[in-house]
Amino acid sequence: MSDAVVESTIGRRSGTHLMNEAFFLKHHQEAARILESYPAPDILRVLQGTSAKNASNLLSSITPPIAADVITLMTTDLLKQVIPHMSPSLAAVLFQRLEEDLQRAILFRVPDRYAQEIRSYMTYPAESVGSIMDPKFLVLQEEVTVREAMLHVRSRAQKDVHDMYVIDRRQKLVGKFSVRDLLLVDPEEKLQAVMIRDLPTIHPLESREEIVELFGERHFFTIPVVDLDDRLLGVVRNEDIIKASQEDATADLQTMVGANKDERALSPVWFSVRKRLPWLQLNLLTAFFAAFVVGMFEGTIAKFTALAVLLPVVAGQSGNTGAQSLAVVIRGLALRDIRPSQWLRVSGKEVYVAFLNGLAVSASACLAVAIWSRSFGLTLVIGLSMIISMVIAGLSGAIIPIALKSMKQDPAQSSSIVLTTITDVVGFFSFLGLATLLSGLLES
């Protein structure tokens, strides 16, 4: 009976109009399953021959790729009648399968209030999962057989497709099926009997860090993106998250040294100047602060000129130690290996590493200075200051990004400028301070 009802609507049999309306109202999911076997123009004729509410229910129950094809054929009057009856989030799912020009044209036709609601579901923050998901994924209904799925793959799938996602008539995600598995099961089996049900999912407003962690744990080709009602919105492919992570990493490299992440190699000159100059001015201020510390020990330097020669050695080693710690901690925060609440453990580890490295580097420096200067006092000063400055540099490299993360700031934002200031000041102060305290040994 149901096939006849749909066929009668396609054929515009007016005598059965009321029966058709009742069937579509109570059994729109079953009707949608039948409609999918017809070409898009015939489906459109059914939508035109029924009420706007029924048309909306049918369109909401049809598999998204087919529903999107039908939407492209709908007239302005029909869109104005049907779209307001649809869930804005579901309409957004369908519209995102269309070309951008067509999206704008359709949204321009529907009432502004509904258009704004739909747009709100189609836009995501730049650093969110939704910003990199693909809404044009291969999706099939759970009652489809494996044989029918193979036909869908041949006619609709991209060449590099790995996974097919399975939904029910409410567009909710129920499972997944790999293209490879199509060759290994009975062609007459339905997907709901052979699909994988235990799937990791992610919300589109989650950060990219969350999905990096998911890919690391499950090693899938794709991860499905769902809303709070488990409605399938799109998929994120591992190559897309790798590309996005690379872009984020290069942006972090820029922000660490005070450049803006929006700046490109061929950005306008004044844009680059405006973004870089404030940080350069801040860097100048911190450089003067470091110079002030050196100036405090001007008398000691004038008395023992060898200190001026060795001063960059201490500052350079502490700077490198801090940079190593900074890079490791920023990466850990980005990949969610660590959390700000673990600051004590992370800081303790970096201090211990810096201390051991400081002992080794200090031994090498002491040997070189002893041979060069033949001064026990100078050798002792550089050895102690090297250890002190490297330990504080390791601690600073761990604390700075964690502190920025705790303050809801980008942990890479100009952290190297702050770190350079601390390592320079600590290096200069420890070396020259110890030289002043142990000046008696330097004279001997």
Side-chain angles (χ1 to χ4, degrees), residues 29 68 88 95-96 98 118 142-143 152 158-159 182 189 191 195 273 298 311 325 353 367 399 414 429 432:
Q29 294 182 0
F95 286 3
Q96 284 182 311
L98 310 177
I118 294 170
E142 60 183 342
E143 71 268 11
H152 278 284
Q158 300 175 351
K159 292 182 179 180
L182 288 176
E189 286 276 11
L191 292 185
M195 66 187 179
V273 170
E298 184 177 358
L311 194 58
S325 177
V353 170
L367 179 61
I399 290 295
S414 302
F429 193 85
L432 296 176

Side-chain angles (χ1 to χ4, degrees), residues 125-146:
E127 301 300 320
S128 68
V129 169
S131 67
I132 58 172
M133 76 175 182
D134 180 8
K136 300 179 182 179
F137 53 95
L138 182 61
V139 60
L140 298 169
Q141 295 289 343
E142 60 183 342
E143 71 268 11
V144 169
T145 66
V146 172

Side-chain angles (χ1 to χ4, degrees), residues 15-91:
T16 60
H17 178 74
L18 292 178
M19 181 178 67
N20 296 349
E21 289 292 293
F23 176 74
F24 289 153
L25 182 63
K26 295 182 179 180
H27 306 286
H28 57 270
Q29 294 182 0
E30 174 67 15
R33 183 186 65 80
I34 299 168
L35 279 175
E36 288 178 355
S37 63
Y38 291 92
D42 286 344
I43 298 175
L44 177 63
R45 288 172 58 189
V46 172
L47 300 185
Q48 290 172 329
T50 187
S51 67
K53 178 64 175 176
N54 279 341
S56 172
N57 289 338
L58 290 171
L59 200 59
S60 299
S61 301
I62 293 174
T63 305
I66 299 174
D69 290 342
V70 175
I71 287 176
T72 62
L73 303 176
M74 293 173 68
T75 64
T76 299
D77 288 341
L78 188 58
L79 285 169
K80 288 181 178 179
Q81 295 172 24
V82 173
I83 298 301
H85 289 281
M86 295 182 68
S87 161
S89 59
L90 178 57

Side-chain angles (χ1 to χ4, degrees), residues 201-263:
T201 61
I202 194 166
H203 190 271
L205 294 180
E206 293 284 359
S207 69
R208 294 180 186 178
E209 297 171 2
E210 294 279 356
I211 203 164
V212 167
E213 185 176 350
L214 269 179
F215 273 116
E217 292 174 352
R218 306 299 289 267
H219 304 290
F220 288 157
F221 287 109
T222 58
I223 299 253
V225 183
V226 299
D227 62 15
L228 295 176
D229 296 320
D230 289 328
R231 185 181 291 119
L232 186 56
L233 305 179
V235 298
V236 176
R237 296 180 174 83
N238 53 8
E239 58 263 32
D240 293 330
I241 197 63
I242 290 172
K243 181 180 178 182
S245 297
Q246 289 174 339
E247 292 174 354
D248 290 345
T250 56
D252 285 348
L253 287 176
Q254 291 184 192
T255 55
M256 284 175 67
V257 295
N260 189 272
K261 65 173 63 178
D262 296 327
E263 185 180 346

Side-chain angles (χ1 to χ4, degrees), residues 291-343:
F292 171 74
V293 173
V294 175
M296 292 171 58
F297 302 96
E298 184 177 358
T300 304
I301 296 174
K303 189 174 181 180
F304 306 104
T305 55
L307 296 175
V309 177
L310 298 175
L311 194 58
V313 177
V314 178
Q317 284 302 117
S318 63
N320 289 336
T321 301
Q324 290 175 341
S325 177
L326 182 72
V328 170
V329 174
I330 286 179
R331 183 176 184 274
L333 290 170
L335 298 180
R336 298 181 68 93
D337 286 340
I338 58 174
R339 299 180 301 277
S341 61
Q342 296 175 298
W343 68 271

Side-chain angles (χ1 to χ4, degrees), residues 310-383:
L310 298 175
L311 194 58
V313 177
V314 178
Q317 284 302 117
S318 63
N320 289 336
T321 301
Q324 290 175 341
S325 177
L326 182 72
V328 170
V329 174
I330 286 179
R331 183 176 184 274
L333 290 170
L335 298 180
R336 298 181 68 93
D337 286 340
I338 58 174
R339 299 180 301 277
S341 61
Q342 296 175 298
W343 68 271
L344 189 58
R345 181 180 174 186
V346 174
S347 301
K349 176 254 184 179
E350 290 301 325
V351 166
Y352 190 41
V353 170
F355 175 71
L356 294 179
N357 284 335
L359 288 177
V361 171
S362 175
S364 300
C366 286
L367 179 61
V369 171
I371 295 173
W372 170 66
S373 68
R374 300 183 184 276
S375 169
F376 171 75
L378 190 58
T379 301
L380 181 62
V381 167
I382 195 168

